[in-house]
Amino acid sequence: MKRLLSLHLIVFGLVAITQPWASAAPVPPTVSAISAILIDATTGKVLYEKRCHLRRPPASTTKMMTAILAIEQGKLNSTVCASPYACQTQFGSLHLKNGERLTLRELLYGTILRSANDGAVCIAENVAGTESKFVDMMNEKAKKIGANDTHFVNPHGLYVRDHYSTAYDLAMIARYATGLPEFNKIVGTKTRHIERSINQKDVFIRNTAARFLCKYGGADGIKTGYTKEAGHCFVGSATRKGWKLISVVMKSNNSGKDTGAIMNYGFKYYKQVCIHKANQKATTVRVAGGDDEKIDLVCADNLATIVDKSVDVRTSTDIKTDEASAPINKGTKLGTLTGYLNGHKVGTVDLVAARSVNRALAATIYRIVRGILSLCAVFIVGYIAYGTAIAQGSRRRRRSISQRS
């Protein structure tokens, strides 16, 4: 009886191991940070969080927003002149000299990689005229991004009581920033030599996040931060097989270890299901009156979702297109693509023209001739109507004269 029971237990154990529903549940990472979060960069989906809406001083992770505005509002090849006010910024690690000149791009590299506070103020003055106006731009941009629990007081992150953010908001800001190619290029740089007009001995810049970039597989950013009040903060990103994750830890005892644990959790237990990539051909439609009979339609954005690795996936799409008539400009919306995962709707993206299509010569001639004929028809109809009216008037006058006679 005991042997039979043991045999049953062994068989049950083997069956349990081989069943899909027996896969281990995700084990949340252990992190020392007071607040933390992990999101998918494409969809913004939260994969892990720990008090992610807690308002905390963000320290130099603030400079992500400074970089966003510099890239979007500034001219990176323009020359920047350091002001006395910028040079006096506390903990100015670029050691800018009054009147020193360098391009906005080089200044941005120095500010992000070395986390230079004087560089951040110099950028603010160059982009907005004054630091206070730049801070207003930062707060306005934060609201547009959806970082509603964020308030900036300066462009560098030195502690001020009313300068705060959350792990969630910093992840949203980082997600937006990684949509800018120039930003990704900068934060993924380990070292760089910059050109300076005065302090020419201080031109070698090393990324404060270089340790993470070198040691974690797929690491490609983003920004460190530290003040006594904020503790150690880090916004990290890593991409594996085309899938990017973004993590944030705030007031961590070991930001590198915490970030690695969070990233490992995401890559181990989840997977990205890409239904359709941005700029990838989805369908072809006919074009009326064009110099080409057909045009390819591509997705305007990525359409993807994140699922547990144990889930079997089956994707499908539903495409709807509009009538296309030349001329068509590249990027013109001509339909939609709706994606489904295992029968459930994931989302809908616009389908846009992959290129421009000009009106065909024959169609153009036809349109011109048709326009001329239409004008002629209007003129003839008008002339006939006018002649008819004159003739009728003449007949009425003759009848009136005849009756009086």
Side-chain angles (χ1 to χ4, degrees):
M1 186 69 181
K2 289 183 179 179
R3 289 181 179 178
L4 183 61
L5 179 61
S6 298
L7 181 61
H8 284 167
L9 290 174
I10 292 171
V11 171
F12 178 79
L14 290 173
V15 171
I17 292 172
T18 58
Q19 293 301 313
W21 43 262
S23 59
V27 180
T30 300
V31 297
S32 64
I34 285 182
S35 62
I37 195 171
L38 177 71
I39 69 166
D40 166 49
T42 301
T43 65
K45 182 177 181 178
V46 177
L47 305 180
Y48 166 82
E49 67 90 14
K50 176 184 178 182
R51 303 176 72 187
C52 68
H53 296 291
L54 177 67
R55 290 181 176 180
R56 295 281 310 160
S60 284
T61 60
T62 297
K63 295 184 178 79
M64 291 191 300
M65 182 61 77
T66 302
I68 289 172
L69 293 177
I71 293 168
E72 292 188 336
Q73 303 294 329
K75 297 179 180 179
L76 297 182
N77 292 325
S78 64
T79 301
V80 179
C81 182
S83 70
Y85 176 74
C87 295
Q88 294 169 7
T89 305
Q90 191 178 12
F91 305 117
S93 56
L94 270 182
H95 313 295
L96 291 173
K97 306 297 183 183
N98 183 26
E100 184 167 10
R101 294 179 178 274
L102 62 169
T103 65
L104 181 58
R105 177 177 279 102
E106 298 285 53
L107 183 62
L108 189 55
Y109 269 96
T111 299
I112 296 299
L113 269 59
R114 192 181 279 184
S115 201
N117 298 331
D118 50 353
V121 174
C122 197
I123 289 173
E125 291 180 328
N126 176 262
V127 173
T130 65
E131 183 182 22
S132 61
K133 288 182 180 179
F134 187 81
V135 169
D136 290 340
M137 293 170 64
M138 293 173 70
N139 288 316
E140 182 180 352
K141 189 69 176 182
K143 294 298 180 289
K144 289 182 179 179
I145 290 174
N148 297 316
D149 280 322
T150 294
H151 183 258
F152 296 116
V153 179
N154 57 57
H156 40 66
L158 286 175
Y159 178 74
V160 181
R161 186 169 185 174
D162 291 331
H163 188 102
Y164 56 81
S165 188
T166 67
Y168 177 85
D169 282 9
L170 290 177
M172 293 301 106
I173 292 170
R175 182 186 174 214
Y176 178 90
T178 53
L180 305 173
E182 191 70 33
F183 181 88
N184 288 327
K185 184 179 178 181
I186 293 171
V187 298
T189 301
K190 299 179 181 68
T191 61
R192 182 179 174 93
H193 283 82
I194 62 174
E195 297 292 332
R196 308 181 62 162
S197 65
I198 296 178
N199 199 353
Q200 297 181 3
K201 291 184 179 180
D202 187 11
V203 295
F204 179 76
I205 306 295
R206 187 175 188 271
N207 197 331
T208 56
R211 184 180 180 86
F212 175 70
L213 291 172
C214 292
K215 292 199 170 184
Y216 190 81
D220 46 24
I222 298 177
K223 189 70 192 78
T224 59
Y226 174 80
T227 64
K228 180 181 178 181
E229 296 80 6
H232 289 281
C233 304
F234 184 57
V235 180
S237 69
T239 305
R240 294 181 181 177
K241 297 181 180 179
W243 179 30
K244 182 187 288 289
L245 294 180
I246 295 173
S247 65
V248 180
V249 295
M250 303 184 78
K251 196 173 177 61
S252 168
N253 293 335
N254 189 326
S255 59
K257 183 178 179 180
D258 282 350
T259 298
I262 294 172
M263 289 284 188
N264 289 341
Y265 169 80
F267 285 122
K268 180 178 180 180
Y269 291 109
Y270 296 95
K271 62 183 176 181
Q272 182 188 57
V273 179
C274 186
I275 297 174
H276 230 283
K277 294 182 179 180
N279 299 317
Q280 184 180 32
K281 178 183 174 181
T283 188
T284 301
V285 295
R286 290 189 173 277
V287 180
D291 57 6
D292 201 330
E293 295 181 354
K294 298 179 181 179
I295 186 173
D296 291 339
L297 302 187
V298 298
C299 287
D301 297 297
N302 288 316
L303 183 57
T305 189
I306 307 302
V307 298
D308 190 288
K309 275 191 175 180
S310 63
V311 175
D312 292 327
V313 297
R314 175 177 52 83
T315 62
S316 58
T317 59
D318 179 27
I319 295 175
K320 295 181 180 179
T321 60
D322 304 327
E323 291 184 1
S325 298
I328 298 171
N329 293 323
K330 180 181 179 180
T332 301
K333 179 184 174 182
L334 292 172
T336 58
L337 181 146
T338 301
Y340 297 87
L341 177 67
N342 296 339
H344 299 285
K345 181 179 177 180
V346 172
T348 300
V349 294
D350 291 340
L351 293 179
V352 299
R355 57 184 177 80
S356 298
V357 176
N358 298 318
R359 185 178 290 276
L361 179 60
T364 301
I365 294 173
Y366 171 75
R367 182 171 57 87
I368 293 172
V369 171
R370 187 178 62 180
I372 293 173
L373 291 176
S374 297
L375 288 174
C376 290
V378 170
F379 175 78
I380 292 170
V381 171
Y383 180 77
I384 293 173
Y386 177 75
T388 302
I390 294 297
Q392 289 176 348
S394 298
R395 286 196 294 269
R396 283 196 296 270
R397 284 195 296 272
R398 287 196 297 271
R399 283 197 298 269
S400 177
I401 293 171
S402 175
Q403 288 172 0
R404 285 199 298 270
S405 300

